[in-house]
């Protein structure tokens, strides 16, 4: 009887341990998946902002590598010919020198490619839309999205939000294919609006969700700026401030974090002030500084 009871207790304990271990493994797998999706969302965040910048013909790169074709005149042949006419010496060397001169002289000049780093600040950029680059990037986004969509379904993200991104990705592609700047800006900004939605289903902390919402409002302000709708630019920047305020109100004691958060808020207010000025270059200088600062948080 005692043996039977002991055996039953042992089996019961084993069942409990099995359930506990299975539950832990499942939780760990789900957490790993969410971390993966968070990285994928961050990638979409970077790519969509880059695409909106490309549509506006601006870049966050402070320097770019510029290739320049340089014609290098062959002065060596004339120099050697001059030397040959005045020197007396070894005949073999003279013939060799003369032959080399003729060969170089027949070429006339050689082309050389020189590379150099040049400044790429906002005021130096030509603001022309690179449609070829945009077309390449939007097509690459389909490949990325096909992986992300499977992961989003695994954590039960609302199917309508996933299908909505699919449809809006097609709309953005059509706009880029037609090289329509206004429609491209609106479509890319619409794609970005899904980022905060997906992040809410993944992130434990509200800060990253608030940052994505802040960026979304800032991108919408850029779209309205290009339309010349300055009152709506102000509204979107006010919304950006409201999205960011919870981060201000919940700052932790980390000094570096506090400095970066305060700096971001100051830059938001500064961008709001620039909305009173119709100079797009000034707006985009401040926009660039703000987005780069938000990326640090």
């Amino acid at each position: 009887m005692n043996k039977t009871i002991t055996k039953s207790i042992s089996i019961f304990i084993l069942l409990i341990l099995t359930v506990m271990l299975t539950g832990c493994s499942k939780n760990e797998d789900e957490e790993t998946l969410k971390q993966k999706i968070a990285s994928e969302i961050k990638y979409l965040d970077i790519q969509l902002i880059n695409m909106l910048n490309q549509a506006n013909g601006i870049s966050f790169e402070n320097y770019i590598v510029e290739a320049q074709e340089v014609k290098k005149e062959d002065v060596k042949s004339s120099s050697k010919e001059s030397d040959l006419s005045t020197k007396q010496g070894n005949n073999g060397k003279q013939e060799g020198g003369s032959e080399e001169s003729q060969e170089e002289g027949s070429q006339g000049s050689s082309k050389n490619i020189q590379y150099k780093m040049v400044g790429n600040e906002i005021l130096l950029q030509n603001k022309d839309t690179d449609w070829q680059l945009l077309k390449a990037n939007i097509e690459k986004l389909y490949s990325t999205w096909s992986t992300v969509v499977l992961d989003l379904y695994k954590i039960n993200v609302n199917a309508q939000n996933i299908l909505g991104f699919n449809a809006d990705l097609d709309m953005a592609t059509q706009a880029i294919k037609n090289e329509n700047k206004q429609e491209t800006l609106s479509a890319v900004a619409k794609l970005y609006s899904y980022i905060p939605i997906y992040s809410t289903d993944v992130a434990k902390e509200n800060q990253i969700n608030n940052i994505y919402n802040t960026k979304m409002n800032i991108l919408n302000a850029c779209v309205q700026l290009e339309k010349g709708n300055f009152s709506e630019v102000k509204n979107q920047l006010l919304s950006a401030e409201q999205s960011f305020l919870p981060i201000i109100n919940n700052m932790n004691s980390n000094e570096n974090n506090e400095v970066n958060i305060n700096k971001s808020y100051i830059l938001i207010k500064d961008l709001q002030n620039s909305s009173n000025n119709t100079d797009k270059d000034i707006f985009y200088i401040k926009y660039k500084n703000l987005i780069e600062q938000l990326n640090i948080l």
Side-chain angles (χ1 to χ4, degrees):
M1 182 70 177
N2 291 335
K3 290 183 178 179
T4 303
I5 294 174
T6 303
K7 186 176 181 180
S8 298
I9 293 173
S10 299
I11 293 172
F12 181 70
I13 292 172
L14 285 172
L15 286 172
I16 292 175
L17 289 173
T18 301
V19 170
M20 289 177 63
L21 291 172
T22 302
C24 290
S25 177
K26 184 178 180 180
N27 289 336
E28 288 176 1
D29 290 343
E30 184 176 347
E31 186 60 31
T32 300
L33 178 59
K34 286 188 174 182
Q35 289 176 359
K36 178 175 181 256
I37 296 173
S39 297
E40 292 169 340
I41 291 172
K42 182 61 180 176
Y43 177 81
L44 290 175
D45 159 59
I46 294 170
Q47 293 305 310
L48 290 173
I49 289 177
N50 284 342
M51 290 175 66
L52 188 135
N53 290 343
Q54 289 160 9
N56 277 327
I58 62 176
S59 169
F60 284 176
E61 298 293 332
N62 291 324
Y63 295 93
I64 57 173
V65 178
E66 189 176 84
Q68 185 177 13
E69 186 178 273
V70 179
K71 290 184 178 181
K72 185 179 179 181
E73 297 298 329
D74 192 353
V75 296
K76 291 183 179 179
S77 58
S78 60
S79 176
K80 288 181 180 179
E81 288 174 356
S82 176
D83 288 341
L84 287 172
S85 64
T86 57
K87 287 184 179 179
Q88 298 294 325
N90 188 295
N91 291 333
K93 288 184 179 180
Q94 289 179 358
E95 290 175 359
S98 176
E99 188 175 80
E100 183 180 354
S101 299
Q102 288 177 357
E103 182 179 355
E104 291 178 356
S106 65
Q107 292 176 351
S109 63
S110 59
K111 292 182 179 179
N112 216 6
I113 303 296
Q114 288 186 351
Y115 297 91
K116 61 179 180 179
M117 299 285 289
V118 296
N120 192 45
E121 287 77 11
I122 294 293
L123 293 178
L124 300 177
Q125 297 172 22
N126 60 28
K127 312 300 188 300
D128 292 332
T129 302
D130 189 341
W131 291 109
Q132 296 306 309
L133 180 60
L134 265 174
K135 289 173 184 177
N137 287 340
I138 195 70
E139 190 165 338
K140 290 176 184 176
L141 199 59
Y142 277 93
S143 177
T144 302
W145 176 243
S146 64
T147 300
V148 177
V149 68
L150 294 175
D151 291 337
L152 292 176
Y153 274 121
K154 289 177 184 177
I155 61 170
N156 298 318
V157 170
N158 188 304
Q160 292 303 314
N161 291 330
I162 296 175
L163 295 174
F165 190 98
N166 286 335
D168 289 327
L169 179 58
D170 291 343
M171 293 290 291
T173 303
Q174 190 66 49
I176 292 172
K177 179 183 176 183
N178 294 336
E179 299 187 1
N180 187 314
K181 180 178 176 178
Q182 291 293 344
E183 289 184 4
T184 296
L185 291 172
S186 297
V188 172
K190 181 69 182 300
L191 286 175
Y192 193 92
S193 69
Y194 292 93
I195 299 291
I197 296 173
Y198 300 149
S199 180
T200 302
D201 290 323
V202 174
K204 290 182 178 179
E205 298 181 0
N206 289 326
Q207 176 167 307
I208 187 63
N209 301 329
N210 292 329
I211 290 172
Y212 286 142
N213 274 308
T214 302
K215 287 183 177 180
M216 177 187 70
N217 295 131
I218 294 168
L219 296 186
N220 288 337
C222 291
V223 174
Q224 296 304 321
L225 179 69
E226 292 300 322
K227 291 181 178 180
N229 191 346
F230 296 103
S231 61
E232 188 58 29
V233 171
K234 292 180 181 179
N235 290 336
Q236 290 296 332
L237 293 178
L238 285 173
S239 296
E241 181 183 1
Q242 292 302 312
S243 296
F244 195 78
L245 280 177
I247 300 177
I248 292 284
N249 297 330
N250 294 285
M251 278 192 296
N252 58 37
S253 58
N254 185 299
E255 184 177 347
N256 289 332
N257 190 55
E258 184 176 342
V259 169
N260 287 325
I261 289 173
N262 285 331
K263 184 176 179 181
S264 297
Y265 185 69
I266 291 171
L267 291 173
I268 290 173
K269 299 298 291 183
D270 194 27
L271 189 60
Q272 287 177 347
N273 292 334
S274 71
S275 65
N276 297 320
N277 190 329
T278 57
D279 191 314
K280 291 182 181 179
D281 285 337
I282 294 175
F283 181 93
Y284 283 123
I285 289 171
K286 296 180 179 182
Y287 155 78
K288 174 187 175 183
N289 292 336
L290 173 55
I291 294 295
E292 288 179 335
Q293 184 62 35
L294 290 173
N295 287 338
I296 295 175
L297 299 180

